[in-house]
Amino acid sequence: MKILVTNDDGIFSPGIKALARAMSALGEVYVVAPDVEQSAVGHGITVRRPLRFKHTAAAGLDPIPAYRVDGTPADCVVLGVHLLGRPDLVVSGINIGVNLGLDLTHSGTVAGAIEGTSIGIPSIAFSLDVGSRNGMDFEPGAAEAVRIARWVAEHGLPEKVFLNVNFPVNAPRGVRITELSTHHYEDTVVERVDPNGVPYYWIAGKPTGSEDPGTDLWAVRDGYTSITPISLDLAEHGFMPALRAAFEG
Amino acid sequence: MKILVTNDDGIFSPGIKALARAMSALGEVYVVAPDVEQSAVGHGITVRRPLRFKHTAAAGLDPIPAYRVDGTPADCVVLGVHLLGRPDLVVSGINIGVNLGLDLTHSGTVAGAIEGTSIGIPSIAFSLDVGSRNGMDFEPGAAEAVRIARWVAEHGLPEKVFLNVNFPVNAPRGVRITELSTHHYEDTVVERVDPNGVPYYWIAGKPTGSEDPGTDLWAVRDGYTSITPISLDLAEHGFMPALRAAFEG
């Protein structure tokens, strides 16, 4: 089995190292990841400029082949598939910080899984809740990731569906299959003035959302690994009759 | 009613001019749009650098207030809401080219509507199928956009749901409420060598997808305006029992 590993924190992140090494238990692993952090880039693909694709021994992943790209996680999946061959599985992460609820559309980690799913490859996004950046431990999550990836390799996933997985701060108490919560970053804008007296604006976000039972946020905060199956068939069928009555005919 | 108009083709696009002017029939319009084309950026938000927000008389939208941002469509919605006040409606477009099927996650036009929806404002994304860039006519779509926006203003939208609207090349024969098609851009990678002998790679895409009856692609190719309601509740409930049996317990 061939496994493409990507992320959005960049190729030098400890999270991708832990994930790539753990995945070696399942097959042939190769890493294609952004050269710098790409958080909050969403599912962008770079089409207006060329990209570089460079072998990166300095990533410390030897003997796993590791390549860096000056683009987004989706770019990494596209280039990885074209230049290194089509994998059987795409895994993205382990992200430093959760990707939950309404945040999914912003997440570069999730974008790696979306790109894999779009081209028909079973895909999984992995993220770790971090209490503090000093104390974070990717190993329990990496072990759990292998168990989940093995199941996906054996059973497959429905068409257009991928798994979004979040690990709790400490070693997980178990697994919960969850709904998406209302978790998102409440946008705030900080206004400042530059040395030339011209204003500039910085978007910041405060994590918010309620820990309703059964949701992804609830599960990770309760110490469980959260797995949410995500569908790329985004149409809301329940609202179609009202729209048909209003606009068709 | 206050209406925020954004897009991903940039503030100087004829598509945003047509949409903003038409929307003036419904209320107070303001335009906040990227300074340059942001196609395929997905739902990215710029959090690692500051942004500028500049009044842009040269957009030719006078007397409609128009501001340009050196960022993504989602950035434009965030800054517009914070600096100009919360609108009653967010509209994005009219994009030069369709946004259909699996492309939605890449689309900057759709990202504007996703951002509006995420912060609880009814939102609509508008795109125009273009036969050739010389012959494109935004006026029939702009008139249809007013009719759709008026309906949304009167009836509202379900929570976490927005409308993705695509107009056909010529004046529409009517409206079809549609499913998402399999339409996407089949990624290809063009490899070249730079003047220093170093390879570089350019991602290109060929539009593909089948015109199955009832889908967005079928509707626009058949000469209809396509409206697809899109939900941001991405969880795939049908797959949860299988996952629960495998991982919980």
Side-chain angles (χ1 to χ4, degrees):
Chain A
M1 177 161 74
K2 287 179 73 169
I3 304 165
L4 170 57
V5 181
T6 191
N7 77 346
D8 79 342
D9 287 326
I11 197 162
F12 298 104
S13 167
I16 200 168
K17 275 200 190 82
L19 184 60
R21 287 190 182 136
M23 286 291 148
S24 297
L26 297 180
E28 183 193 340
V29 171
Y30 53 95
V31 170
V32 184
D35 53 3
V36 293
E37 188 187 333
Q38 293 283 317
S39 298
V41 295
H43 191 209
I45 285 205
T46 304
V47 293
R48 288 169 300 144
R49 63 170 174 83
L51 294 162
R52 303 292 184 163
F53 184 85
K54 293 187 180 166
H55 185 259
T56 305
L61 280 158
D62 221 36
I64 297 169
Y67 298 83
R68 69 184 191 274
V69 172
D70 54 337
T72 68
D75 294 335
C76 292
V77 173
V78 172
L79 288 189
V81 168
H82 275 267
L83 299 176
L84 303 175
R86 189 177 172 90
D88 303 291
L89 190 66
V90 171
V91 295
S92 183
I94 300 172
N95 190 61
I96 300 174
V98 288
N99 279 300
L100 302 168
L102 283 171
D103 292 341
L104 295 202
T105 58
H106 289 132
S107 164
T109 309
V110 170
I114 290 178
E115 187 57 32
T117 307
S118 296
I119 58 182
I121 302 168
S123 301
I124 316 172
F126 296 105
S127 306
L128 174 68
D129 195 6
V130 285
S132 76
R133 292 210 172 203
N134 294 326
M136 61 193 173
D137 180 5
F138 292 99
E139 293 312 320
E144 192 93 318
V146 170
R147 190 164 77 98
I148 296 167
R150 181 179 283 126
W151 188 88
V152 167
E154 283 168 9
H155 297 83
L157 290 173
E159 204 186 350
K160 295 194 199 175
V161 171
F162 67 92
L163 300 185
N164 185 51
V165 178
N166 284 273
F167 302 118
V169 174
N170 298 310
R173 299 163 59 188
V175 171
R176 289 286 176 265
I177 310 303
T178 56
E179 308 276 341
L180 291 180
S181 63
T182 56
H183 187 270
H184 66 285
Y185 288 84
E186 205 162 58
D187 296 318
T188 57
V189 175
V190 176
E191 178 172 349
R192 292 187 180 150
V193 175
D194 76 14
N196 299 313
V198 182
Y200 64 90
Y201 304 90
W202 214 301
I203 298 176
K206 211 181 68 173
T208 180
S210 63
E211 298 179 23
D212 298 326
T215 63
D216 51 8
L217 181 58
W218 163 82
V220 293
R221 290 295 147 81
D222 204 30
Y224 288 87
T225 294
S226 165
I227 305 180
T228 310
I230 302 292
S231 172
L232 293 186
D233 187 356
L234 312 173
E236 173 63 27
H237 296 94
F239 191 48
M240 288 185 182
L243 290 173
R244 288 214 166 89
F247 291 104
E248 287 188 359
Chain B
M1 179 161 73
K2 286 179 74 169
I3 304 166
L4 170 56
V5 181
T6 191
N7 78 345
D8 80 342
D9 287 326
I11 198 163
F12 298 103
S13 168
I16 199 168
K17 274 201 190 81
L19 183 60
R21 287 191 183 133
M23 286 291 149
S24 298
L26 297 180
E28 183 193 338
V29 170
Y30 53 95
V31 170
V32 184
D35 53 3
V36 294
E37 189 186 331
Q38 293 283 316
S39 298
V41 295
H43 191 209
I45 286 206
T46 304
V47 293
R48 288 170 299 144
R49 63 171 174 83
L51 293 162
R52 302 292 184 163
F53 185 83
K54 292 187 180 166
H55 185 258
T56 306
L61 279 158
D62 220 36
I64 297 169
Y67 297 84
R68 69 184 192 274
V69 172
D70 54 337
T72 68
D75 294 335
C76 292
V77 172
V78 172
L79 288 189
V81 168
H82 275 268
L83 300 176
L84 302 175
R86 189 177 173 90
D88 304 290
L89 191 66
V90 171
V91 295
S92 183
I94 297 172
N95 190 61
I96 300 174
V98 289
N99 280 300
L100 302 168
L102 283 171
D103 292 342
L104 295 202
T105 58
H106 289 132
S107 164
T109 308
V110 169
I114 290 177
E115 187 57 32
T117 307
S118 295
I119 57 180
I121 302 169
S123 300
I124 315 171
F126 296 105
S127 306
L128 174 67
D129 195 6
V130 286
S132 75
R133 292 210 172 205
N134 294 327
M136 63 194 173
D137 180 6
F138 292 99
E139 293 312 321
E144 193 93 319
V146 170
R147 191 164 76 99
I148 296 166
R150 180 179 284 126
W151 187 87
V152 167
E154 283 169 8
H155 297 81
L157 291 173
E159 204 185 349
K160 294 195 200 175
V161 172
F162 67 92
L163 301 185
N164 185 51
V165 178
N166 284 273
F167 303 117
V169 174
N170 297 310
R173 299 163 59 188
V175 172
R176 289 286 176 264
I177 310 302
T178 56
E179 308 277 341
L180 292 180
S181 63
T182 57
H183 186 270
H184 66 285
Y185 288 84
E186 206 163 58
D187 297 318
T188 58
V189 175
V190 176
E191 178 172 351
R192 292 188 180 151
V193 175
D194 75 13
N196 298 312
V198 183
Y200 63 90
Y201 304 90
W202 213 300
I203 297 176
K206 211 182 69 173
T208 179
S210 63
E211 298 179 22
D212 298 326
T215 64
D216 50 9
L217 180 59
W218 161 83
V220 292
R221 289 295 146 81
D222 204 29
Y224 288 87
T225 294
S226 166
I227 305 180
T228 310
I230 302 292
S231 172
L232 294 186
D233 187 357
L234 312 173
E236 173 63 28
H237 296 94
F239 191 47
M240 289 185 181
L243 290 172
R244 287 215 166 89
F247 291 105
E248 287 187 359

